[in-house]
Amino acid sequence: MERREFMHISAVAASLVSGGLLPALAADGPRPAKKRRKAKRAKRHPVGTSPNPFTEPAAIEPITGYVGKFAPIQTGSMAGDFTASYSLAKFLSAGAKSRNQVAGSIELAFKGDVLTATETRHGNVVKTTLTCRAEDRAALSWSLASRLEQAPDAGFTETGAWDGKAITVKSAAWTQERATSLPLIARWALLPVLASGTCKSKPLRFDMLDDSTLRPDQTLKYSGAIEIPTKAGPATLDCYAQTGRAIVPTHYLVDAAGRVQLITQETVNWALAELG
Amino acid sequence: MINRPNVLFIHVDQMHFQAVSAYGNPYVKTPAIDRIAADGCSLMTNYTTMPQCCPARASWYTGRMSSETGVPTNGCPILPDLPDLGQWLRKHGDYECVYAGKWHIPKRDVRKSFRNLLPTDARGEFSDAAVARACMGFLANHKPDKPFFLNAGFMNPHDCCYTAGAAGGMGKFRFAPEIEDQLPPLPKNFVNTKAPRTSKWKELDWRYYIYIYYRWVEMVDAEIGRLYDALKTSRFARNTVVIFTADHGDGLGFHGKVSKGFMEDEAWRVPAIVVYPGKIPKGRRETEKLTSGVDIPATICDYAQVPMLPKMSIGRSLRPLVEGRSVPDWREYVVGESFLGAGSVGIRDKRYKSIHSGNGQVRLFDLEQDPLEMADLAAADASRAVLKQHRAWLREFVGKLDLCTRVPEGPKAAPYRTYLDWYRKVKEEA
């Protein structure tokens, strides 16, 4: 039995019991722990209210406890030059809803073909400056600086470049090379791509640059509009799903104006906090 | 003056021994681990000391089995007087001992044994990139006036423990039908066990679990690759021993299981690779010699040219093995312990594996004929001699141990009592 069906039947049965239309079963002696827990749960969630109305769609599963506190940003655009910041909503565990904690952030600035990103999480600040190809936002060159709050002398900077066939990453201490087979697009450079709506009709195939690591064979595909609960009431958003090597299925929820409001992975999820 | 090599110890959490593309798995791509395997010696029959995080890690850093360290299961506190590798290499080799990422040895403050660059976080997606960057930052700035012992504690693929959605729902498993054509098949030894976590899973859910598990392996592989290549093209490349392994495996649908703590190979057996340019032949695979998690610290001590950690009852240096030298007196069998529930001990020889339970039950598998451990031969008459030999080895193993007899108060006492009572009876048999 599907959970949705089960919950529906349970809710109907519970309302009949509470209305006196069905006898509530009572056992002699103490009830087993499992039944006691069930009864406790039923008491916590009054008849007619689902313990979790947000278990579907899959796209927001890791942030069901967070979306109710999230209000979509209503102004600004992700086309042309813009700045944006996202909060990192970390998935901790699942109860009736997910437990989430804001555990980091990223500040983004898009100006012309240059994207600047400053990400802070887990005591590590990473600043990236990336030059993109105008027509498809493919990564051409970048610099990355990592700084550790706990160990300031363990920072480094490196530069990278993509020549259409391979990426090369260099620092004073090392050189690395990785072959690519598809256009190389950085994770955060997907924002204007998503805002443009071009992959609504045609899936995007690309290799992804994440930090300075390569995540090959990615597909970003439109997977329909979904309604989600938010602090400001229900919101209908376009959902895009990204799958590929070295990533968990990632969902991007985009509003009608092309603003990427939420991005969910599994334990790392992003919520748009500011857009200018 | 002794010219001691640097040591880079890379460890991951909950990695199935077959989740490596270089070893023939078509459902996962691990270019970084493949590169490490191509550069060094893979230990193909390597087993953790106890297939759970804390005990396995306590063994890596002290050289003792989980019944000796005071950490028989997760959360149990390590014996305070046991020296760990950080303290040992500092004291005896003047190493700069550095740590980043997952530690998970209860009641041992990593900051007192190592210079800690980055704290533990239990989510790999969240912290593994920072672990790689912290270690790379150390390499970029280290002055080669003293050798380093650098430890990179990656979390993934352990994020497979957090897949459940809200209200016990299936999380992103609901996405499975969208990518059904990409989902790996179930393992051949899959059976539906109706375990609590998975009792409602359908075939598609299991296959999605395997799919996403492999993605987490690939995610951590990307970070390992970044770190490994940073080392390999750095000035430290020629004089650094690299060791890669995992604390334990994951069920991954084998025998219808997920998670760890049991002695079937999916949980007990783990990948292990040792690289030392110019000393260890490239691309070697050691398929016959049986190795253990307690061999890792012995190997590190050996390469670092410091004395062995005290009272290493079982561990032996892998150095002659991985360097391709003949080692005629290598161990005939390897033992793993688990003190969850009634407890279980796995004994593996070249061909057979027995799993002894604390409640007296014994299972026996012929890994040559039945590598997926599907046919229990324990009741067969023909198995008597093998079981007798394994029983003798169990007695020999127990006889070598310097058991931790400190038993804490309260519920944590159970695993200690499990091995103390059980092993006492085993000793009495002798």
Side-chain angles (χ1 to χ4, degrees):
Chain A
M1 186 187 296
E2 292 295 326
R3 186 178 53 219
R4 191 184 294 205
E5 190 189 344
F6 170 77
M7 286 165 60
H8 175 71
I9 293 168
S10 303
V12 170
S15 68
L16 290 171
V17 170
S18 67
L21 300 172
L22 275 178
L25 296 175
D28 291 334
R31 285 187 289 179
K34 200 173 169 184
K35 283 190 176 171
R36 281 202 303 275
R37 278 200 301 273
K38 261 189 173 175
K40 205 175 166 187
R41 265 207 303 272
K43 203 174 173 184
R44 213 166 46 224
H45 304 291
V47 173
T49 63
S50 161
N52 174 22
F54 313 136
T55 49
E56 291 180 48
I60 60 160
E61 275 282 9
I63 51 167
T64 47
Y66 181 80
V67 283
K69 299 170 202 156
F70 168 76
I73 301 292
Q74 302 289 355
T75 57
S77 163
M78 289 189 172
D81 293 350
F82 68 93
T83 59
S85 68
Y86 284 83
S87 299
L88 192 163
K90 188 180 176 188
F91 173 85
L92 299 177
S93 61
K97 294 178 190 173
S98 67
R99 280 205 315 118
N100 298 100
Q101 174 196 36
V102 174
S105 64
I106 189 162
E107 312 288 331
L108 303 162
F110 291 76
K111 191 167 186 188
D113 296 332
V114 177
L115 159 60
T116 309
T118 305
E119 184 183 314
T120 306
R121 73 162 114 159
H122 199 44
N124 186 203
V125 181
V126 181
K127 186 172 179 183
T128 311
T129 304
L130 173 81
T131 303
C132 302
R133 192 159 66 187
E135 64 265 31
D136 61 357
R137 299 281 174 176
L140 295 176
S141 62
W142 63 93
S143 67
L144 182 149
S146 167
R147 184 171 60 81
L148 289 175
E149 287 166 1
Q150 195 168 301
D153 60 337
F156 68 89
T157 58
E158 62 185 11
T159 57
W162 179 61
D163 64 4
K165 292 177 185 164
I167 63 174
T168 306
V169 180
K170 289 180 179 173
S171 81
W174 57 77
T175 303
Q176 309 187 7
E177 218 174 276
R178 305 265 185 281
T180 60
S181 54
L182 293 165
L184 181 75
I185 302 178
R187 181 188 288 281
W188 293 104
L190 288 170
L191 297 184
V193 177
L194 286 159
S196 72
T198 52
C199 35
K200 199 161 187 175
S201 51
K202 189 181 171 202
L204 178 68
R205 299 259 296 127
F206 63 108
D207 285 342
M208 190 168 79
L209 180 69
D210 189 15
D211 207 336
S212 281
T213 64
L214 178 67
R215 315 287 165 137
D217 299 335
Q218 305 295 312
T219 303
L220 181 65
K221 194 173 153 186
Y222 181 61
S223 49
I226 60 168
E227 188 181 86
I228 66 162
T230 74
K231 191 180 172 184
T236 301
L237 300 166
D238 280 328
C239 180
Y240 294 83
Q242 181 189 343
T243 53
R245 274 172 48 194
I247 67 155
V248 287
T250 303
H251 291 86
Y252 300 82
L253 300 182
V254 185
D255 69 14
R259 292 178 285 255
V260 182
Q261 299 280 356
L262 294 161
I263 304 166
T264 68
Q265 296 169 226
E266 276 280 344
T267 59
V268 171
N269 309 283
W270 300 95
L272 184 61
E274 280 179 37
L275 181 62
Chain B
M1 187 183 162
I2 301 172
N3 183 19
R4 301 179 199 276
N6 306 302
V7 179
L8 170 59
F9 183 17
I10 301 172
H11 43 83
V12 295
D13 196 316
Q14 202 150 333
M15 185 161 169
H16 191 283
F17 71 99
Q18 288 178 338
V20 177
S21 46
Y23 303 154
N25 188 327
Y27 305 109
V28 64
K29 300 277 185 234
T30 51
I33 299 169
D34 294 359
R35 284 198 295 281
I36 298 175
D39 286 347
C41 178
S42 295
L43 299 152
M44 303 303 286
T45 47
N46 181 65
Y47 290 85
T48 184
T49 54
M50 194 298 201
Q52 209 185 24
C53 301
C54 299
R57 287 159 187 274
S59 292
W60 281 340
Y61 284 95
T62 65
R64 300 198 192 186
M65 296 299 292
S66 58
S67 51
E68 299 177 297
T69 58
V71 193
T73 59
N74 273 354
C76 296
I78 191 168
L79 288 170
D81 298 334
L82 280 189
D84 61 54
L85 273 177
Q87 300 164 349
W88 200 251
L89 265 62
R90 254 183 201 164
K91 184 177 172 187
H92 296 282
D94 194 28
Y95 271 79
E96 180 164 4
C97 297
V98 182
Y99 207 96
K102 177 160 178 173
W103 169 246
H104 212 185
I105 299 180
K107 297 291 177 193
R108 177 65 51 98
D109 186 345
V110 65
R111 293 168 300 181
K112 289 184 178 160
S113 301
F114 294 84
R115 180 180 173 219
N116 189 227
L117 301 177
L118 194 78
T120 295
D121 184 87
R123 306 293 187 277
E125 255 180 68
F126 180 75
S127 63
D128 279 349
V131 171
R133 286 190 293 251
C135 294
M136 291 166 73
F138 170 79
L139 291 176
N141 294 284
H142 179 66
K143 305 275 185 298
D145 53 348
K146 56 170 25 183
F148 64 76
F149 173 38
L150 176 60
N151 294 258
F154 291 104
M155 273 305 306
N156 263 331
H158 182 275
D159 281 6
C160 62
C161 295
Y162 308 114
T163 50
M170 295 300 288
K172 282 202 177 181
F173 282 52
R174 294 285 169 201
F175 184 62
E178 301 283 327
I179 50 169
E180 191 173 351
D181 59 334
Q182 298 172 44
L183 305 181
L186 294 174
K188 288 196 176 102
N189 62 359
F190 176 82
V191 283
N192 201 338
T193 58
K194 299 285 177 196
R197 182 178 168 194
T198 57
S199 62
K200 290 178 185 167
W201 289 15
K202 296 175 182 156
E203 183 181 333
L204 212 55
D205 300 318
W206 279 102
R207 290 174 56 205
Y208 185 79
Y209 178 86
I210 300 165
Y211 168 87
I212 196 169
Y213 178 88
Y214 284 146
R215 304 292 80 74
W216 275 310
V217 170
E218 291 172 346
M219 286 169 78
V220 75
D221 180 80
E223 303 302 341
I224 290 168
R226 214 175 159 206
L227 170 59
Y228 182 66
D229 289 357
L231 172 81
K232 210 178 155 180
T233 59
S234 76
R235 58 189 161 163
F236 306 114
R238 298 291 305 168
N239 196 31
T240 302
V241 178
V242 179
I243 298 177
F244 165 78
T245 191
D247 55 357
H248 53 78
D250 181 79
L252 202 56
F254 287 66
H255 297 103
K257 292 183 181 185
V258 294
S259 200
K260 62 267 189 176
F262 45 92
M263 305 313 296
E264 279 81 356
D265 265 16
E266 52 269 24
W268 183 25
R269 190 170 169 185
V270 287
I273 310 170
V274 188
V275 177
Y276 193 9
K279 305 282 194 310
I280 296 176
K282 286 187 168 194
R284 227 175 84 70
R285 290 199 187 160
E286 175 55 66
T287 54
E288 297 206 340
K289 301 286 193 290
L290 300 158
T291 56
S292 163
V294 278
D295 298 336
I296 300 286
T299 307
I300 291 171
C301 290
D302 191 357
Y303 275 116
Q305 299 162 71
V306 300
M308 287 290 150
L309 285 154
K311 294 186 182 176
M312 288 185 63
S313 54
I314 306 295
R316 289 186 62 175
S317 172
L318 298 165
R319 188 173 178 177
L321 271 194
V322 295
E323 292 183 356
R325 285 183 260 149
S326 166
V327 194
D329 64 339
W330 192 256
R331 66 170 68 93
E332 287 179 278
Y333 64 97
V334 66
V335 181
E337 305 171 302
S338 174
F339 302 112
L340 298 167
S344 52
V345 166
I347 300 177
R348 158 88 205 257
D349 67 23
K350 200 170 159 188
R351 178 170 178 178
Y352 292 99
K353 173 176 166 184
S354 57
I355 301 176
H356 305 248
S357 171
N359 62 18
Q361 189 201 2
V362 181
R363 289 176 290 152
L364 182 72
F365 301 97
D366 179 349
L367 297 184
E368 212 169 88
Q369 301 295 321
D370 175 29
L372 290 173
E373 301 168 74
M374 296 165 80
D376 178 5
L377 307 175
D381 286 346
S383 303
R384 272 190 205 150
V386 176
L387 284 174
K388 192 178 169 194
Q389 177 63 70
H390 280 220
R391 192 76 196 169
W393 280 334
L394 176 61
R395 284 194 297 274
E396 182 180 71
F397 166 79
V398 170
K400 286 181 182 174
L401 298 175
D402 176 28
L403 292 177
C404 167
T405 53
R406 177 211 61 184
V407 179
E409 301 282 317
K412 285 281 176 211
Y416 298 83
R417 296 207 191 289
T418 297
Y419 71 74
L420 286 171
D421 292 349
W422 183 7
Y423 286 179
R424 181 179 42 78
K425 286 179 199 157
V426 171
K427 278 183 177 173
E428 282 167 7
E429 275 179 29

